[in-house]
Amino acid sequence: FPQRWQTFVTDLFAPVSSGGIWCEPGADAGANTIGVKICLECLKLITEDCTDSDFNAKISTVRRNDILLGFNEVTHQILPLLFELLSKQYGDLNNAKNTLTQMNQYLASSGRTTAQMSPEEKAQYQIQLDKRDAAGAILADELGTIEKFCQS
């Protein structure tokens, strides 16, 4: 990248339906968590390597600058995808947290705790916990990637 693999960004960040590994526009990233994590990790590692002093000593300044210039040329393709995912996952996280709060309030109003839930209630509660945790993990990964990408 960018000389030998000019389509790196379009190949990597294409939705699954187009042969890539990124999530479908507007879809829940949880359905393709592995693909999203691979994309984020690739982007993060490449940008870290270009800004890390250990990496700078291993490659020429010209090569490092080529990579950074390549990223500058494709920033307009990457950032909208990252911000769309960020917005979606933040909404998913808040929805799950709000649902959990409502569930806890319902239990408290009936004098019960989570330990006293029925099997059906426990299953629904666990679904919300899983949604909250998955969205939070993707948000943490994505924010770390955005931080490194914007520093390059």
Side-chain angles (χ1 to χ4, degrees), residues 115-152:
Q116 298 168 321
M117 289 190 291
S118 69
E120 295 84 20
E121 290 171 328
K122 285 181 183 179
Q124 291 302 313
Y125 196 83
Q126 188 61 49
I127 288 170
Q128 294 306 314
L129 288 173
D130 292 345
K131 284 182 180 181
R132 181 200 64 191
D133 294 347
I138 291 174
L139 280 169
D141 289 345
E142 187 175 6
L143 289 171
T145 299
I146 290 172
E147 177 185 25
K148 293 296 179 189
F149 185 72
C150 291
Q151 289 174 351
S152 65

PDB file of all heavy atoms in Angstrom, residues 115-152:
ATOM      1  N   ALA A 115     -31.533 -11.846  40.629  1.00  0.00           N
ATOM      2  CA  ALA A 115     -31.447 -13.256  41.027  1.00  0.00           C
ATOM      3  C   ALA A 115     -32.824 -13.915  41.069  1.00  0.00           C
ATOM      4  O   ALA A 115     -32.927 -15.149  41.018  1.00  0.00           O
ATOM      5  CB  ALA A 115     -30.777 -13.371  42.391  1.00  0.00           C
ATOM      6  N   GLN A 116     -33.892 -13.116  41.134  1.00  0.00           N
ATOM      7  CA  GLN A 116     -35.247 -13.649  41.233  1.00  0.00           C
ATOM      8  C   GLN A 116     -36.002 -13.608  39.901  1.00  0.00           C
ATOM      9  O   GLN A 116     -37.207 -13.823  39.871  1.00  0.00           O
ATOM     10  CB  GLN A 116     -36.025 -12.862  42.289  1.00  0.00           C
ATOM     11  CG  GLN A 116     -35.424 -12.972  43.678  1.00  0.00           C
ATOM     12  CD  GLN A 116     -36.018 -11.962  44.638  1.00  0.00           C
ATOM     13  OE1 GLN A 116     -36.270 -10.812  44.275  1.00  0.00           O
ATOM     14  NE2 GLN A 116     -36.244 -12.399  45.884  1.00  0.00           N
ATOM     15  N   MET A 117     -35.310 -13.370  38.832  1.00  0.00           N
ATOM     16  CA  MET A 117     -35.972 -13.308  37.528  1.00  0.00           C
ATOM     17  C   MET A 117     -36.369 -14.705  37.053  1.00  0.00           C
ATOM     18  O   MET A 117     -35.726 -15.694  37.397  1.00  0.00           O
ATOM     19  CB  MET A 117     -35.038 -12.685  36.481  1.00  0.00           C
ATOM     20  CG  MET A 117     -34.806 -11.209  36.663  1.00  0.00           C
ATOM     21  SD  MET A 117     -33.946 -10.432  35.266  1.00  0.00           S
ATOM     22  CE  MET A 117     -32.328 -11.130  35.381  1.00  0.00           C
ATOM     23  N   SER A 118     -37.404 -14.723  36.223  1.00  0.00           N
ATOM     24  CA  SER A 118     -37.816 -15.980  35.600  1.00  0.00           C
ATOM     25  C   SER A 118     -36.787 -16.341  34.517  1.00  0.00           C
ATOM     26  O   SER A 118     -36.006 -15.486  34.091  1.00  0.00           O
ATOM     27  CB  SER A 118     -39.202 -15.819  34.969  1.00  0.00           C
ATOM     28  OG  SER A 118     -39.123 -14.967  33.842  1.00  0.00           O
ATOM     29  N   PRO A 119     -36.805 -17.577  34.041  1.00  0.00           N
ATOM     30  CA  PRO A 119     -35.865 -17.961  32.977  1.00  0.00           C
ATOM     31  C   PRO A 119     -35.990 -17.082  31.724  1.00  0.00           C
ATOM     32  O   PRO A 119     -34.989 -16.736  31.105  1.00  0.00           O
ATOM     33  CB  PRO A 119     -36.224 -19.415  32.675  1.00  0.00           C
ATOM     34  CG  PRO A 119     -36.824 -19.921  33.947  1.00  0.00           C
ATOM     35  CD  PRO A 119     -37.542 -18.747  34.548  1.00  0.00           C
ATOM     36  N   GLU A 120     -37.223 -16.723  31.379  1.00  0.00           N
ATOM     37  CA  GLU A 120     -37.434 -15.861  30.209  1.00  0.00           C
ATOM     38  C   GLU A 120     -36.854 -14.467  30.440  1.00  0.00           C
ATOM     39  O   GLU A 120     -36.240 -13.874  29.553  1.00  0.00           O
ATOM     40  CB  GLU A 120     -38.928 -15.755  29.865  1.00  0.00           C
ATOM     41  CG  GLU A 120     -39.569 -17.060  29.431  1.00  0.00           C
ATOM     42  CD  GLU A 120     -40.012 -17.911  30.625  1.00  0.00           C
ATOM     43  OE1 GLU A 120     -40.181 -17.377  31.753  1.00  0.00           O
ATOM     44  OE2 GLU A 120     -40.169 -19.127  30.433  1.00  0.00           O
ATOM     45  N   GLU A 121     -37.058 -13.944  31.646  1.00  0.00           N
ATOM     46  CA  GLU A 121     -36.520 -12.626  31.978  1.00  0.00           C
ATOM     47  C   GLU A 121     -34.988 -12.655  31.985  1.00  0.00           C
ATOM     48  O   GLU A 121     -34.348 -11.722  31.492  1.00  0.00           O
ATOM     49  CB  GLU A 121     -37.032 -12.164  33.351  1.00  0.00           C
ATOM     50  CG  GLU A 121     -38.505 -11.814  33.370  1.00  0.00           C
ATOM     51  CD  GLU A 121     -39.031 -11.576  34.768  1.00  0.00           C
ATOM     52  OE1 GLU A 121     -38.538 -12.217  35.739  1.00  0.00           O
ATOM     53  OE2 GLU A 121     -39.944 -10.728  34.903  1.00  0.00           O
ATOM     54  N   LYS A 122     -34.423 -13.719  32.526  1.00  0.00           N
ATOM     55  CA  LYS A 122     -32.962 -13.855  32.550  1.00  0.00           C
ATOM     56  C   LYS A 122     -32.396 -13.886  31.136  1.00  0.00           C
ATOM     57  O   LYS A 122     -31.358 -13.272  30.857  1.00  0.00           O
ATOM     58  CB  LYS A 122     -32.543 -15.120  33.308  1.00  0.00           C
ATOM     59  CG  LYS A 122     -32.669 -15.004  34.798  1.00  0.00           C
ATOM     60  CD  LYS A 122     -32.209 -16.268  35.493  1.00  0.00           C
ATOM     61  CE  LYS A 122     -32.435 -16.129  36.997  1.00  0.00           C
ATOM     62  NZ  LYS A 122     -32.027 -17.330  37.731  1.00  0.00           N
ATOM     63  N   ALA A 123     -33.081 -14.589  30.246  1.00  0.00           N
ATOM     64  CA  ALA A 123     -32.618 -14.675  28.855  1.00  0.00           C
ATOM     65  C   ALA A 123     -32.647 -13.296  28.197  1.00  0.00           C
ATOM     66  O   ALA A 123     -31.685 -12.898  27.520  1.00  0.00           O
ATOM     67  CB  ALA A 123     -33.477 -15.660  28.072  1.00  0.00           C
ATOM     68  N   GLN A 124     -33.735 -12.553  28.410  1.00  0.00           N
ATOM     69  CA  GLN A 124     -33.838 -11.209  27.835  1.00  0.00           C
ATOM     70  C   GLN A 124     -32.810 -10.259  28.446  1.00  0.00           C
ATOM     71  O   GLN A 124     -32.231  -9.424  27.759  1.00  0.00           O
ATOM     72  CB  GLN A 124     -35.254 -10.654  28.020  1.00  0.00           C
ATOM     73  CG  GLN A 124     -36.305 -11.358  27.195  1.00  0.00           C
ATOM     74  CD  GLN A 124     -35.982 -11.303  25.713  1.00  0.00           C
ATOM     75  OE1 GLN A 124     -35.644 -10.263  25.159  1.00  0.00           O
ATOM     76  NE2 GLN A 124     -36.065 -12.455  25.055  1.00  0.00           N
ATOM     77  N   TYR A 125     -32.586 -10.397  29.719  1.00  0.00           N
ATOM     78  CA  TYR A 125     -31.596  -9.565  30.413  1.00  0.00           C
ATOM     79  C   TYR A 125     -30.198  -9.858  29.867  1.00  0.00           C
ATOM     80  O   TYR A 125     -29.422  -8.946  29.600  1.00  0.00           O
ATOM     81  CB  TYR A 125     -31.664  -9.849  31.924  1.00  0.00           C
ATOM     82  CG  TYR A 125     -30.980  -8.823  32.785  1.00  0.00           C
ATOM     83  CD1 TYR A 125     -31.625  -7.649  33.151  1.00  0.00           C
ATOM     84  CD2 TYR A 125     -29.681  -9.032  33.253  1.00  0.00           C
ATOM     85  CE1 TYR A 125     -31.009  -6.708  33.956  1.00  0.00           C
ATOM     86  CE2 TYR A 125     -29.055  -8.096  34.058  1.00  0.00           C
ATOM     87  CZ  TYR A 125     -29.715  -6.934  34.414  1.00  0.00           C
ATOM     88  OH  TYR A 125     -29.100  -5.999  35.208  1.00  0.00           O
ATOM     89  N   GLN A 126     -29.894 -11.140  29.671  1.00  0.00           N
ATOM     90  CA  GLN A 126     -28.582 -11.522  29.145  1.00  0.00           C
ATOM     91  C   GLN A 126     -28.379 -11.003  27.726  1.00  0.00           C
ATOM     92  O   GLN A 126     -27.278 -10.584  27.366  1.00  0.00           O
ATOM     93  CB  GLN A 126     -28.410 -13.049  29.192  1.00  0.00           C
ATOM     94  CG  GLN A 126     -27.001 -13.501  28.852  1.00  0.00           C
ATOM     95  CD  GLN A 126     -25.960 -12.953  29.821  1.00  0.00           C
ATOM     96  OE1 GLN A 126     -26.115 -13.047  31.027  1.00  0.00           O
ATOM     97  NE2 GLN A 126     -24.894 -12.371  29.286  1.00  0.00           N
ATOM     98  N   ILE A 127     -29.429 -11.013  26.928  1.00  0.00           N
ATOM     99  CA  ILE A 127     -29.340 -10.472  25.562  1.00  0.00           C
ATOM    100  C   ILE A 127     -28.924  -9.009  25.613  1.00  0.00           C
ATOM    101  O   ILE A 127     -28.051  -8.567  24.849  1.00  0.00           O
ATOM    102  CB  ILE A 127     -30.675 -10.653  24.807  1.00  0.00           C
ATOM    103  CG1 ILE A 127     -30.885 -12.126  24.450  1.00  0.00           C
ATOM    104  CG2 ILE A 127     -30.729  -9.774  23.557  1.00  0.00           C
ATOM    105  CD1 ILE A 127     -32.268 -12.454  23.926  1.00  0.00           C
ATOM    106  N   GLN A 128     -29.517  -8.250  26.506  1.00  0.00           N
ATOM    107  CA  GLN A 128     -29.181  -6.831  26.628  1.00  0.00           C
ATOM    108  C   GLN A 128     -27.750  -6.638  27.145  1.00  0.00           C
ATOM    109  O   GLN A 128     -27.035  -5.743  26.696  1.00  0.00           O
ATOM    110  CB  GLN A 128     -30.188  -6.104  27.520  1.00  0.00           C
ATOM    111  CG  GLN A 128     -31.579  -6.045  26.956  1.00  0.00           C
ATOM    112  CD  GLN A 128     -31.632  -5.454  25.557  1.00  0.00           C
ATOM    113  OE1 GLN A 128     -31.027  -4.423  25.279  1.00  0.00           O
ATOM    114  NE2 GLN A 128     -32.354  -6.108  24.664  1.00  0.00           N
ATOM    115  N   LEU A 129     -27.339  -7.481  28.085  1.00  0.00           N
ATOM    116  CA  LEU A 129     -25.956  -7.411  28.569  1.00  0.00           C
ATOM    117  C   LEU A 129     -24.974  -7.693  27.437  1.00  0.00           C
ATOM    118  O   LEU A 129     -23.956  -6.997  27.287  1.00  0.00           O
ATOM    119  CB  LEU A 129     -25.725  -8.413  29.709  1.00  0.00           C
ATOM    120  CG  LEU A 129     -26.357  -8.107  31.060  1.00  0.00           C
ATOM    121  CD1 LEU A 129     -26.166  -9.288  32.005  1.00  0.00           C
ATOM    122  CD2 LEU A 129     -25.771  -6.840  31.663  1.00  0.00           C
ATOM    123  N   ASP A 130     -25.278  -8.694  26.632  1.00  0.00           N
ATOM    124  CA  ASP A 130     -24.408  -9.052  25.510  1.00  0.00           C
ATOM    125  C   ASP A 130     -24.346  -7.926  24.475  1.00  0.00           C
ATOM    126  O   ASP A 130     -23.270  -7.616  23.949  1.00  0.00           O
ATOM    127  CB  ASP A 130     -24.881 -10.346  24.854  1.00  0.00           C
ATOM    128  CG  ASP A 130     -24.706 -11.563  25.751  1.00  0.00           C
ATOM    129  OD1 ASP A 130     -23.970 -11.482  26.763  1.00  0.00           O
ATOM    130  OD2 ASP A 130     -25.328 -12.606  25.443  1.00  0.00           O
ATOM    131  N   LYS A 131     -25.500  -7.317  24.183  1.00  0.00           N
ATOM    132  CA  LYS A 131     -25.532  -6.189  23.241  1.00  0.00           C
ATOM    133  C   LYS A 131     -24.697  -5.029  23.769  1.00  0.00           C
ATOM    134  O   LYS A 131     -23.929  -4.412  23.026  1.00  0.00           O
ATOM    135  CB  LYS A 131     -26.965  -5.709  23.009  1.00  0.00           C
ATOM    136  CG  LYS A 131     -27.777  -6.595  22.117  1.00  0.00           C
ATOM    137  CD  LYS A 131     -29.174  -6.010  21.919  1.00  0.00           C
ATOM    138  CE  LYS A 131     -30.024  -6.864  21.038  1.00  0.00           C
ATOM    139  NZ  LYS A 131     -31.361  -6.298  20.815  1.00  0.00           N
ATOM    140  N   ARG A 132     -24.863  -4.721  25.056  1.00  0.00           N
ATOM    141  CA  ARG A 132     -24.100  -3.636  25.669  1.00  0.00           C
ATOM    142  C   ARG A 132     -22.603  -3.908  25.597  1.00  0.00           C
ATOM    143  O   ARG A 132     -21.814  -3.048  25.194  1.00  0.00           O
ATOM    144  CB  ARG A 132     -24.526  -3.471  27.128  1.00  0.00           C
ATOM    145  CG  ARG A 132     -23.803  -2.336  27.853  1.00  0.00           C
ATOM    146  CD  ARG A 132     -23.860  -2.485  29.341  1.00  0.00           C
ATOM    147  NE  ARG A 132     -23.154  -3.702  29.757  1.00  0.00           N
ATOM    148  CZ  ARG A 132     -23.216  -4.216  30.973  1.00  0.00           C
ATOM    149  NH1 ARG A 132     -23.960  -3.645  31.894  1.00  0.00           N
ATOM    150  NH2 ARG A 132     -22.552  -5.316  31.276  1.00  0.00           N
ATOM    151  N   ASP A 133     -22.207  -5.118  25.946  1.00  0.00           N
ATOM    152  CA  ASP A 133     -20.792  -5.467  25.964  1.00  0.00           C
ATOM    153  C   ASP A 133     -20.185  -5.481  24.562  1.00  0.00           C
ATOM    154  O   ASP A 133     -19.063  -5.017  24.357  1.00  0.00           O
ATOM    155  CB  ASP A 133     -20.582  -6.810  26.652  1.00  0.00           C
ATOM    156  CG  ASP A 133     -20.936  -6.776  28.131  1.00  0.00           C
ATOM    157  OD1 ASP A 133     -21.118  -5.666  28.692  1.00  0.00           O
ATOM    158  OD2 ASP A 133     -21.059  -7.867  28.732  1.00  0.00           O
ATOM    159  N   ALA A 134     -20.915  -6.008  23.588  1.00  0.00           N
ATOM    160  CA  ALA A 134     -20.419  -6.062  22.211  1.00  0.00           C
ATOM    161  C   ALA A 134     -20.250  -4.658  21.632  1.00  0.00           C
ATOM    162  O   ALA A 134     -19.218  -4.346  21.024  1.00  0.00           O
ATOM    163  CB  ALA A 134     -21.354  -6.890  21.337  1.00  0.00           C
ATOM    164  N   ALA A 135     -21.253  -3.814  21.833  1.00  0.00           N
ATOM    165  CA  ALA A 135     -21.167  -2.448  21.322  1.00  0.00           C
ATOM    166  C   ALA A 135     -20.036  -1.690  22.015  1.00  0.00           C
ATOM    167  O   ALA A 135     -19.288  -0.954  21.371  1.00  0.00           O
ATOM    168  CB  ALA A 135     -22.495  -1.717  21.511  1.00  0.00           C
ATOM    169  N   GLY A 136     -19.892  -1.884  23.297  1.00  0.00           N
ATOM    170  CA  GLY A 136     -18.817  -1.221  24.039  1.00  0.00           C
ATOM    171  C   GLY A 136     -17.438  -1.655  23.564  1.00  0.00           C
ATOM    172  O   GLY A 136     -16.527  -0.830  23.438  1.00  0.00           O
ATOM    173  N   ALA A 137     -17.282  -2.946  23.279  1.00  0.00           N
ATOM    174  CA  ALA A 137     -15.989  -3.448  22.798  1.00  0.00           C
ATOM    175  C   ALA A 137     -15.648  -2.879  21.424  1.00  0.00           C
ATOM    176  O   ALA A 137     -14.509  -2.466  21.175  1.00  0.00           O
ATOM    177  CB  ALA A 137     -16.005  -4.971  22.759  1.00  0.00           C
ATOM    178  N   ILE A 138     -16.627  -2.836  20.530  1.00  0.00           N
ATOM    179  CA  ILE A 138     -16.377  -2.277  19.199  1.00  0.00           C
ATOM    180  C   ILE A 138     -16.078  -0.788  19.311  1.00  0.00           C
ATOM    181  O   ILE A 138     -15.175  -0.276  18.632  1.00  0.00           O
ATOM    182  CB  ILE A 138     -17.558  -2.552  18.248  1.00  0.00           C
ATOM    183  CG1 ILE A 138     -17.615  -4.047  17.934  1.00  0.00           C
ATOM    184  CG2 ILE A 138     -17.427  -1.744  16.962  1.00  0.00           C
ATOM    185  CD1 ILE A 138     -18.806  -4.480  17.127  1.00  0.00           C
ATOM    186  N   LEU A 139     -16.803  -0.083  20.159  1.00  0.00           N
ATOM    187  CA  LEU A 139     -16.530   1.344  20.355  1.00  0.00           C
ATOM    188  C   LEU A 139     -15.107   1.572  20.855  1.00  0.00           C
ATOM    189  O   LEU A 139     -14.410   2.458  20.368  1.00  0.00           O
ATOM    190  CB  LEU A 139     -17.528   1.954  21.341  1.00  0.00           C
ATOM    191  CG  LEU A 139     -18.890   2.307  20.786  1.00  0.00           C
ATOM    192  CD1 LEU A 139     -19.857   2.647  21.916  1.00  0.00           C
ATOM    193  CD2 LEU A 139     -18.797   3.452  19.810  1.00  0.00           C
ATOM    194  N   ALA A 140     -14.666   0.774  21.818  1.00  0.00           N
ATOM    195  CA  ALA A 140     -13.308   0.924  22.351  1.00  0.00           C
ATOM    196  C   ALA A 140     -12.272   0.662  21.265  1.00  0.00           C
ATOM    197  O   ALA A 140     -11.305   1.430  21.124  1.00  0.00           O
ATOM    198  CB  ALA A 140     -13.102  -0.011  23.532  1.00  0.00           C
ATOM    199  N   ASP A 141     -12.474  -0.395  20.491  1.00  0.00           N
ATOM    200  CA  ASP A 141     -11.541  -0.694  19.397  1.00  0.00           C
ATOM    201  C   ASP A 141     -11.522   0.432  18.368  1.00  0.00           C
ATOM    202  O   ASP A 141     -10.468   0.844  17.891  1.00  0.00           O
ATOM    203  CB  ASP A 141     -11.942  -1.996  18.690  1.00  0.00           C
ATOM    204  CG  ASP A 141     -11.688  -3.238  19.522  1.00  0.00           C
ATOM    205  OD1 ASP A 141     -10.955  -3.151  20.533  1.00  0.00           O
ATOM    206  OD2 ASP A 141     -12.238  -4.300  19.171  1.00  0.00           O
ATOM    207  N   GLU A 142     -12.703   0.897  18.028  1.00  0.00           N
ATOM    208  CA  GLU A 142     -12.795   1.930  16.998  1.00  0.00           C
ATOM    209  C   GLU A 142     -12.196   3.255  17.452  1.00  0.00           C
ATOM    210  O   GLU A 142     -11.494   3.921  16.693  1.00  0.00           O
ATOM    211  CB  GLU A 142     -14.250   2.132  16.568  1.00  0.00           C
ATOM    212  CG  GLU A 142     -14.345   3.077  15.399  1.00  0.00           C
ATOM    213  CD  GLU A 142     -15.736   3.232  14.857  1.00  0.00           C
ATOM    214  OE1 GLU A 142     -16.695   2.699  15.434  1.00  0.00           O
ATOM    215  OE2 GLU A 142     -15.853   3.939  13.841  1.00  0.00           O
ATOM    216  N   LEU A 143     -12.443   3.641  18.682  1.00  0.00           N
ATOM    217  CA  LEU A 143     -11.874   4.896  19.176  1.00  0.00           C
ATOM    218  C   LEU A 143     -10.350   4.830  19.224  1.00  0.00           C
ATOM    219  O   LEU A 143      -9.675   5.807  18.898  1.00  0.00           O
ATOM    220  CB  LEU A 143     -12.454   5.244  20.546  1.00  0.00           C
ATOM    221  CG  LEU A 143     -13.912   5.689  20.518  1.00  0.00           C
ATOM    222  CD1 LEU A 143     -14.465   5.796  21.938  1.00  0.00           C
ATOM    223  CD2 LEU A 143     -14.083   7.002  19.775  1.00  0.00           C
ATOM    224  N   GLY A 144      -9.807   3.676  19.581  1.00  0.00           N
ATOM    225  CA  GLY A 144      -8.355   3.503  19.554  1.00  0.00           C
ATOM    226  C   GLY A 144      -7.808   3.618  18.144  1.00  0.00           C
ATOM    227  O   GLY A 144      -6.760   4.226  17.912  1.00  0.00           O
ATOM    228  N   THR A 145      -8.519   3.041  17.193  1.00  0.00           N
ATOM    229  CA  THR A 145      -8.101   3.106  15.791  1.00  0.00           C
ATOM    230  C   THR A 145      -8.190   4.535  15.271  1.00  0.00           C
ATOM    231  O   THR A 145      -7.265   5.020  14.606  1.00  0.00           O
ATOM    232  CB  THR A 145      -8.977   2.178  14.930  1.00  0.00           C
ATOM    233  OG1 THR A 145      -8.812   0.842  15.399  1.00  0.00           O
ATOM    234  CG2 THR A 145      -8.598   2.261  13.470  1.00  0.00           C
ATOM    235  N   ILE A 146      -9.282   5.214  15.565  1.00  0.00           N
ATOM    236  CA  ILE A 146      -9.440   6.599  15.101  1.00  0.00           C
ATOM    237  C   ILE A 146      -8.338   7.482  15.680  1.00  0.00           C
ATOM    238  O   ILE A 146      -7.776   8.334  14.993  1.00  0.00           O
ATOM    239  CB  ILE A 146     -10.845   7.141  15.456  1.00  0.00           C
ATOM    240  CG1 ILE A 146     -11.908   6.451  14.604  1.00  0.00           C
ATOM    241  CG2 ILE A 146     -10.917   8.654  15.266  1.00  0.00           C
ATOM    242  CD1 ILE A 146     -13.340   6.775  15.014  1.00  0.00           C
ATOM    243  N   GLU A 147      -8.016   7.264  16.953  1.00  0.00           N
ATOM    244  CA  GLU A 147      -6.951   8.051  17.589  1.00  0.00           C
ATOM    245  C   GLU A 147      -5.640   7.869  16.828  1.00  0.00           C
ATOM    246  O   GLU A 147      -4.977   8.857  16.496  1.00  0.00           O
ATOM    247  CB  GLU A 147      -6.782   7.625  19.036  1.00  0.00           C
ATOM    248  CG  GLU A 147      -5.640   8.343  19.732  1.00  0.00           C
ATOM    249  CD  GLU A 147      -5.379   7.847  21.146  1.00  0.00           C
ATOM    250  OE1 GLU A 147      -5.713   6.683  21.436  1.00  0.00           O
ATOM    251  OE2 GLU A 147      -4.843   8.620  21.935  1.00  0.00           O
ATOM    252  N   LYS A 148      -5.255   6.637  16.531  1.00  0.00           N
ATOM    253  CA  LYS A 148      -4.001   6.382  15.823  1.00  0.00           C
ATOM    254  C   LYS A 148      -4.061   6.920  14.398  1.00  0.00           C
ATOM    255  O   LYS A 148      -3.109   7.500  13.892  1.00  0.00           O
ATOM    256  CB  LYS A 148      -3.693   4.880  15.793  1.00  0.00           C
ATOM    257  CG  LYS A 148      -3.393   4.291  17.135  1.00  0.00           C
ATOM    258  CD  LYS A 148      -2.125   4.883  17.724  1.00  0.00           C
ATOM    259  CE  LYS A 148      -1.853   4.294  19.066  1.00  0.00           C
ATOM    260  NZ  LYS A 148      -0.788   4.965  19.766  1.00  0.00           N
ATOM    261  N   PHE A 149      -5.194   6.710  13.737  1.00  0.00           N
ATOM    262  CA  PHE A 149      -5.338   7.147  12.352  1.00  0.00           C
ATOM    263  C   PHE A 149      -5.242   8.665  12.232  1.00  0.00           C
ATOM    264  O   PHE A 149      -4.588   9.184  11.340  1.00  0.00           O
ATOM    265  CB  PHE A 149      -6.668   6.657  11.782  1.00  0.00           C
ATOM    266  CG  PHE A 149      -6.840   6.957  10.315  1.00  0.00           C
ATOM    267  CD1 PHE A 149      -6.117   6.273   9.371  1.00  0.00           C
ATOM    268  CD2 PHE A 149      -7.745   7.920   9.921  1.00  0.00           C
ATOM    269  CE1 PHE A 149      -6.275   6.553   8.020  1.00  0.00           C
ATOM    270  CE2 PHE A 149      -7.916   8.200   8.571  1.00  0.00           C
ATOM    271  CZ  PHE A 149      -7.175   7.520   7.621  1.00  0.00           C
ATOM    272  N   CYS A 150      -5.867   9.367  13.154  1.00  0.00           N
ATOM    273  CA  CYS A 150      -5.853  10.832  13.093  1.00  0.00           C
ATOM    274  C   CYS A 150      -4.515  11.427  13.514  1.00  0.00           C
ATOM    275  O   CYS A 150      -4.214  12.557  13.166  1.00  0.00           O
ATOM    276  CB  CYS A 150      -6.988  11.400  13.939  1.00  0.00           C
ATOM    277  SG  CYS A 150      -8.620  11.066  13.223  1.00  0.00           S
ATOM    278  N   GLN A 151      -3.693  10.654  14.213  1.00  0.00           N
ATOM    279  CA  GLN A 151      -2.371  11.119  14.595  1.00  0.00           C
ATOM    280  C   GLN A 151      -1.367  10.989  13.448  1.00  0.00           C
ATOM    281  O   GLN A 151      -0.314  11.592  13.483  1.00  0.00           O
ATOM    282  CB  GLN A 151      -1.836  10.349  15.800  1.00  0.00           C
ATOM    283  CG  GLN A 151      -2.527  10.675  17.084  1.00  0.00           C
ATOM    284  CD  GLN A 151      -2.061   9.788  18.231  1.00  0.00           C
ATOM    285  OE1 GLN A 151      -1.339   8.822  18.046  1.00  0.00           O
ATOM    286  NE2 GLN A 151      -2.505  10.124  19.438  1.00  0.00           N
ATOM    287  N   SER A 152      -1.704  10.152  12.458  1.00  0.00           N
ATOM    288  CA  SER A 152      -0.751   9.915  11.380  1.00  0.00           C
ATOM    289  C   SER A 152      -0.767  11.027  10.357  1.00  0.00           C
ATOM    290  O   SER A 152      -1.583  11.867  10.309  1.00  0.00           O
ATOM    291  CB  SER A 152      -1.036   8.588  10.699  1.00  0.00           C
ATOM    292  OG  SER A 152      -2.283   8.598  10.040  1.00  0.00           O
TER     293      SER A 152
END
